[in-house]
Each structure stands twice: as structure tokens, then as C-alpha cells.
Amino acid sequence: MLVFFDKKALDVTAVELDSLTSLETISYSEAPLSTNTLISPKWKIAVPSRDCGGHNNCHPSSAAVADLTGNGRLEIIVASNNGRVLAYANDHNGLYQLWQIDLAPYFGMAAGSQRIHSSPTIADLNGNGSLEIVIGAGSTAMVNDQTRGGVIVLNANGTVKANWPKLAGDENPPIGYPDTIYATPAVGDLTGDGQLEIVSTGFDKRIYAWRHDGTLLPGFPINSNHWQRFGWANLQGRLADTIWSSPALADVTGDGYLEIIVGTDEGNFDDRWGGNSGGWHCPYATPPGWAPGYCGGSLYAIDRFGNILPNFPIYKWQIFQSTPLLYDVTRNGRAEIFIGTGTFYNTNAGHRFYALDSNGNDLPGWAGGKAVGDNVPGSPAIGDITGDGQPEIVVAAMDRKLYAWRLNGSTVPGFPMTPRDQTGNGYRHDVGSAPILADYTGDGKMEIFLTTGWSITIVNGQGQQLTTSSNPPNGPFYFAEGLLQNSPVVADLNNNGRLELITFNSHVYVWELSPTSGQADWPMFKGNPERTGNQRQPILDVTPGNLTALHQWLDPSNIQRLVRIRNVGNGTLTWNATTLPDRVALVSYYGSVSDEETILATINTTGLSLGYHHLGNIIIEATDNEQPVPNSPFTIPVVVHVVEEIHEVYLPVILR
């Protein structure tokens, strides 16, 4: 049996496509600004773009920042709606264009005809010290625009990297045009070889993992989970439906390797289709002409070999367009998963935000997901908005409300609340619209930044809006002169210790924030330039794994060895050491590490007899905000082998 299901792009016109995905265009009338404190941009520069409804505003791609030139200053990288990728640098005179490239010719298209919804992903893919830029291409209105979708990699100077782009499959109309890659790729070292792989998903129903040279990892693109159940040939190397959700990367199994987590539009089939449905049923009427007994969406978890993890995919009664957020709540080395639902099915059965463990089970306090007022296709952020030392989960939904929960599932007081623009309007936050978190007030707590209409709204951890609206009046006002459909970015662009707030539509806008501590727990869409979707937590690594020494009998000298304490994750960990053997002393017993620290261990050998002496252990414990980090505690056995005589043999050296 040959069956394809595509909720968004199969046999529909461009107008119908937009109505199905609810990617809305809203007309805003400009309100008088005289009662507001309008914060003028520090820098503003025009972005080449196409007119798509009066104000050149339809830029769903979110900006990124990275040091492309290696001069120690961050550049701004944006992808415009006419298929161009641009890099902007800054100096004492302001922003200036570093380079731009039109992607259309590299996809076999006429100049200026490509479309980009994906956000730039930036990382040093091959470890050569130079950054690359990865981005997906193609239009959501495929029938109308007739774009050729795929993924392309650029060098730091804006040239196209060899062996790229990679065109997507051609599953949807118009036939003859590879399908769109809407999702933002993620990059990470899946294989453990020190080089980064590129993970991407698309409207062509595929989940890809490429090496930096453009070759696919074995096992990718993966087979649908339904292929094992039904054996349908069209489910080999692809899913049964499209993918809007961007992939996230983290270790969810505790094996030391990254896994891929992504939401999809692929639903499940009930018992009438044969095989084991797991008791699946559709609790609502599906669209006319839809396959009976097929509905919902799924959350996939995949290892580096392209295998679907046990207990996955997880099927729910709504598609997943939200990008997963990954965070190790339990500090056991396995990341948990936070994700919202999508926009296809017209039913409140899918108005949920989920928190799942590495086996796909609901986390304590999150049973059945959190009910919200509408779909949640936008992506969540994580950071400490309350100042209690623990992060909270923040997400905006299509009911125009902003939600915040503690990790235990309890609602943060003051939420949900409705962020409002300068006219007092709320905004339905759709796919790709996500909050970011940074310290706006300088008190060390994270505030929530999100685009609302034509402006950027800032909300504190008590659910109070700090920027202007009709209520309260006369607050600061960050106005972008056009509709914003992406996520802002915060970064210290000029190395002065202050964060800049960055957004773009037909212009790039940069405001300097003051006062600010410069801290940002979630500074951009998907959390970081690699777009991994996880808050990289501190991880303890200690070497050597054991401290074994050979010592000559009756030698009065002590033994000295170095112990290296490393943080191989992100942020800063606090460590302390305990030495159970009395004979062992450390030069330091506590500290904090963001990178690495080396301490000296001294072993007192006085009175040790011939033979092996197990002197006990050095125990290193590490915490992050008073919570244990992975690999803590770490135990180093201390053993000294005392011998009668040590002979040293030197190889001859010949100098010519």
C-alpha cells in the first residue's frame, strides 16, 4: 500500500497553505507615540528585502551573532526574505555591511527569487578555527513561489562551502521543485570525532544528518517509525508527513553522545490499519477527505546511527511545530524534553505544553502536559527569571499569553500574562516566534524579551511588563517600524560590558541596554549560535582517573601530582575536594571553574614500607546553583607502590 500524508503542502494553493499553517499577517495601524519613551536605536541599517504586504516586514528568520572575522567583536548575521544572507560589522561609526550573498543562483534559481524562513546556524564545523554558517532555504508558499529548497553552508567570508548546497526531496507540489527547509538546522558532534554534524528537517518529510563535507551519516535520512509496522516503501528514508519543528541536540541517554530530538507532523494510525497501534484513536473529526483513523503528531528521538530510541516516537493529538528545549532537570546526565504543540487540528485536544523524561514519560508535576489557551507552535526558553537560583520554562502561545513554569511544573506567580505592544494589542505567537532571556534591569535576574507586533516587549519574572503599552503608559518603548515575526537577540557587540538588543525586518535595529549585568541565560532563538536548543549545563571532568605512583623505599621526598578539574559543559561549576587519606594534601580544596583549573596534590611518603599502599581517595564534588552536576562526585583512588630500588634507563641521543 502506498500512502503519503502531508497536512500542509499536498495539493493546496499558496493561499490555502497559509490558512492551514496559520502563519498570520496582521495589519497594525501606527499609534501616537507622544506618551511613550521611544528608545532610539543605537544603530539602524536597511536590509535588502522584498515587499510582502506594505511594510517589507515578513522576515521569519531570526538573527544570529558570531565573531566571523576573528577580531574579537561579534558580527550580526541575518537572512532576508529575498534569499540573501548578510553579515554586518560595527565600529565607532556604526553598523556597516561586511558582505552579502544571494543564495538563489546556487539553488538553480533566478537572482532574488529564493525565500528563507530558517535562521542562520553558526559554528566551526571542521575545527579549523574558522566559522561556517548553515541555513535552510525555500518558501512556505511553494506553489506560488516555486522555490528550490535545501540546506547550504557558507564560509565566514560569505562564500559557499564546497559540496553545498544539498537539495531537499521533492514530495509536495509543485513537482520538480525540491521542498522547503523551513526549520533551523542544529549542529553538534554526534559521532565524537571532534567535528560537527549538521542536522536538518524539512517539508520533504526527511530527517538529515550530514558531515561538514556534505556526506550523510549512515542511517540518515531515517525511516519512519511506521515503516516497521506497515512496510510501506514510501516510508523508507522519510516520515509520513512534513516537519516544521527545528531539531534539538543533547545527550538524553547518558551515553556521552548527542541525540536528536524533533517534533513532526506525522500522526498515528488506529487499529483499522493493522499492526500494533498502541491503543491510538482520534478523539475528533479529521478534515474532509483525510484518511480515517489517522491524526495527531509525534516527537522523535534519534541516535547518531539513525536509530529511533526506545519508547519513541511519542504520539500526541496535535502536530508539533515547536522546537524542543532540552535541559537536564534531574542532573543525571540525561536531558529532559520541553515542547509545545502545533496549529493543524482545530481542536483544544492539542492545546498542551509537554515536559518529558528521556523515556518519553511525563515529568513529575507535568502529567498530561500543561493545558494552555491555544496552540503553542512557538519555542520555549529557559532561565532564572525569579532569582531563586533555579531556571524556569517560558513560552508564548497563540492565545496571546506568556506562560512560565518552574521545573516541578508549578506556575510562576504572575503568569500567564498578556504581553502588549505600544497600542495595547496582544499578539498570537506562531511558529518560529520565541522569547529570549537576559538581565535587563541589572539585578542578576532574567527578563523575558519577545516581539509583539511592531515592538519588543520586556516582562520581568513577576509577570509585570516593563516596556510600554496602553497599560502601563510612559514606559520605555523599543519600536521596529514594522511587523516583527522572529525572535530578538541580545549580545555585547562592542565589548563594553553592556548588552545590545537586536532585531530585524526590513532594517536591522540595535539598541544598547542599560543598566544590565551582561548576563543572558537564553540570548537567541534555540539558545546559542549552534542552535542546539539546550541550555548547556556545567559538567564535571577530572583527570587523572586514579593517582598511582612508584616510590623508592627510604626516599624521604614526597610525591607530587597534578589534578585537573574541567568544566566540559557550559556556565560555571563550584567544586570542593575531600581527601580521605591523611597522607594527601591539596594546594586548594575549593573553587569555581568555567573552563579548567589544575591543583597540586602532595603525598607524604614518610614511613611507608615496601609494597602497595592504598591510601584512600580524593573526592571531587561539583554543583551548579547548589545542585549536583553530571559526573559529581568524582573519586580518585590514591595508590603508592614502594620498591627497593628504581632504575632509570635513558635512551641514547645522537646529535648531528
Side-chain angles (χ1 to χ4, degrees), residues 44 155 163 273 288 447 482:
K44 175 183 173 184
N155 297 306
N163 302 320
W273 292 86
E447 277 74 43

Side-chain angles (χ1 to χ4, degrees), residues 127-141:
N128 67 352
S130 181
L131 296 174
E132 284 85 22
I133 301 163
V134 185
I135 196 162
S139 173
T140 54

